[in-house]
Amino acid sequence: MEVNHLHQLPVRMRRLRRSPNIRDLVCECRVGVSDLIMPLFVKAGITEPEPISSMPGIFRYSPEGIVEECRALRELGIKAVALFPCTHAEVKDARGSEALNPDGLVPSVVRSMKQAALDLITICDVALDPYTSHGHDGVLSEDEADVDNDATVEILSEMAVVLGQAGCDWVAPSDMMDGRVGAIRRALDETELTSVAILAYSAKFNSAYYGPFRDAIGSKKATGGKYLDKGTYQLNPANSREAVRDALLDEEEGADLLMVKPAGAYLDIISRLREVTVLPLAAYQVSGEFSQVHAAAQLGWLEYERMRDESLLAIKRAGADLILSYFAKEVAQEMSVWFEFAVCE
Ligand code: PBG
C-alpha cells in the first residue's frame, strides 16, 4: 500500500497564509504615516513650483510655496520635513559662506514655518554642498586636493547654530566629517540651543543613488564641470563594520538619532545598527531609489505602487524607525483615504 507521507506533516506554514484576514493578523511589520519624513526642496526667485525631471512628482518650491506645501503635509499627518536649498550659482563660493548667513534661504524659510505655527518638525541638513562652488560638503585644503576636516567642522558648528537660532528643530549633519557631531553639540549647548536635536547621517555611503538629488540642488558637477567624488569622507559601499564604527562614534559624541543612507541597498547596515544601538534609527530612501521605481514603472516593467510599498516595508522591516522618503506625501495621501495603510495586506 502506498503511504502518503504528507499526512504526517505536522507543520504547515500555509495555514497562516490562507486568507487576507489571517495574513493581516500575523503581519509583523507595517509602515504608517508617523514613520515617514518628507524631504523638500526650496529655491529663491521662483513663483511656481519647478519640476525636477529626474524625480517625477517632486518640485522645488518658492519660500512662500514651501510653507503652503508644509501645511498640506501636516494635514495629511506628516510630522516632519527635511529642507534642502537649491542655491543660485551667484551665492556659491569656495568656502560656502552663504551657509552662515542668518538671513539666507533656509533660515528664512524655517522662520516663516515657525511663524505659520504648523506644528511640524523641521530638519535642516548641515553640510556645505549647496553653498560651495566646487560642490563638496566642506571647504578644501590649501592644495585643494581634499576637504579639510577640522576647518569644515568649525564652519558646520556655526551653521548648526544659525539654523538652531532660526528655529530648526533637528539639525542633520550629512557631511561625514570626523568629530562633527560632538562639535555641533557643544556649539548648540554653548548658545543655549540645548533642545535642538542632532539627527546624524551616521552611515552615509559614497553612493550613485544621489544623482537625481544633485540635479535637484544643482551640485552634480562643480564649476569646472567635473563630476564629484566624495570618497574621502563618505563611506565605502563595501564596508559594513566601518559603518557601525562610525555610527557608534556619532552616538558617543551625542547624536540623538542615527541615520543610514541610502536605505534600500543598505538594509544590512540598518539591521546591524538596530542590534547595537538603542537610539532611534532613521533611514533615508534617497533620490535614486525613488527615481528607479518611477523609471521601471514608466517602462511598464514593474508595478509602481507595489514596488513603492515594498521598498518602504523592507526598510522598516530591517529596523528603521523613521524613513525619509520622497514617497512620503503620496503614501500619506493614500493612507488618509484608506485610514490604515498596511502593505502586509
Ligand atoms: C549632501 C546630501 C546629499 C543628499 C542629502 N544631503 C547628497 C550628496 O552627498 O551629494 C542626498 C539625498 C538624496 O539623494 O535624496 N550633503
Side-chain angles (χ1 to χ4, degrees):
M1 199 181 73
E2 207 174 304
V3 181
N4 185 351
H5 292 288
L6 281 181
H7 284 133
Q8 295 155 19
L9 195 62
V11 177
R12 287 178 184 266
M13 299 304 290
R14 294 186 56 199
R15 277 198 284 269
L16 296 185
R17 296 177 195 151
R18 277 182 63 218
S19 70
N21 281 352
I22 299 177
R23 292 198 293 273
D24 207 16
L25 285 164
V26 299
C27 178
E28 297 180 30
C29 164
R30 290 170 215 265
V31 175
V33 68
S34 3
D35 302 317
L36 300 174
I37 295 172
M38 183 74 191
L40 291 174
F41 299 106
V42 60
K43 185 176 174 183
I46 55 172
T47 45
E48 291 301 308
E50 239 179 41
I52 299 158
S53 60
S54 52
M55 301 183 73
I58 302 296
F59 299 88
R60 300 182 194 96
Y61 293 97
S62 68
E64 302 76 36
I66 203 164
V67 177
E68 286 325 299
E69 180 63 11
C70 285
R71 197 186 301 283
L73 289 167
R74 187 66 195 93
E75 276 162 19
L76 289 167
I78 299 273
K79 296 177 180 66
V81 293
L83 298 179
F84 296 97
C86 177
T87 313
H88 290 280
E90 310 85 77
V91 294
K92 297 189 186 190
D93 63 25
R95 298 196 59 80
S97 322
E98 179 65 12
L100 300 182
N101 178 2
D103 299 314
L105 182 58
V106 174
S108 320
V109 167
V110 170
R111 273 193 294 273
S112 30
M113 282 175 62
K114 289 294 139 178
Q115 267 158 20
L118 298 175
D119 187 27
L120 194 66
I121 301 293
T122 47
I123 306 173
C124 296
D125 245 42
V126 178
L128 298 183
D129 55 314
Y131 309 103
T132 50
S133 40
H134 42 75
H136 278 291
D137 289 21
V139 292
L140 302 181
S141 55
E142 228 157 273
D143 59 3
E144 298 194 354
D146 197 2
V147 171
D148 181 334
N149 190 87
D150 299 10
T152 300
V153 169
E154 263 179 55
I155 302 173
L156 295 178
S157 308
E158 276 181 61
M159 182 182 179
V161 170
V162 168
L163 294 167
Q165 281 169 341
C168 158
D169 298 289
W170 296 0
V171 289
S174 66
D175 56 291
M176 292 300 279
M177 296 302 127
D178 286 321
R180 89 274 205 224
V181 170
I184 289 172
R185 185 69 272 159
R186 279 189 297 280
L188 290 171
D189 291 351
E190 277 162 14
T191 45
E192 286 169 39
L193 293 165
T194 50
S195 52
V196 175
I198 301 178
L199 165 61
Y201 284 73
S202 299
K204 176 170 179 179
F205 290 86
N206 184 16
S207 170
Y209 286 91
Y210 307 145
F213 174 95
R214 292 181 191 173
D215 289 334
I217 72 157
S219 71
K220 197 165 216 163
K221 289 185 186 170
T223 11
K226 261 194 344 207
Y227 278 97
L228 281 180
D229 181 1
K230 300 190 177 183
T232 69
Y233 42 104
Q234 298 181 347
L235 281 158
N236 180 349
N239 293 1
S240 76
R241 292 193 307 263
E242 186 185 344
V244 170
R245 190 169 172 225
D246 208 333
L248 292 180
L249 266 177
D250 284 355
E251 176 167 358
E252 266 173 51
E253 289 178 28
D256 298 279
L257 311 93
L258 303 181
M259 179 147 69
V260 176
K261 172 185 178 184
Y266 297 87
L267 297 177
D268 58 323
I269 311 293
I270 298 174
S271 124
R272 264 187 98 161
L273 274 184
R274 184 64 296 161
E275 304 276 308
V276 295
T277 180
V278 294
L279 292 187
L281 193 55
Y284 197 147
Q285 183 181 50
V286 300
S287 55
E289 299 179 71
F290 169 85
S291 301
Q292 70 182 0
V293 173
H294 275 281
Q298 274 175 22
L299 286 165
W301 290 353
L302 292 165
E303 286 174 61
Y304 176 74
E305 276 93 2
R306 290 189 62 197
M307 277 281 288
R308 177 197 65 196
D309 295 352
E310 193 174 326
S311 70
L312 291 169
L313 184 59
I315 297 167
K316 185 81 191 289
R317 191 195 61 233
D321 304 298
L322 312 167
I323 307 173
L324 283 86
S325 170
Y326 300 94
F327 292 124
K329 184 183 184 185
E330 64 177 68
V331 168
Q333 271 163 336
E334 289 177 27
M335 282 192 240
S336 64
V337 175
W338 295 108
F339 185 66
E340 166 88 304
F341 165 80
V343 289
C344 295
E345 178 37 63

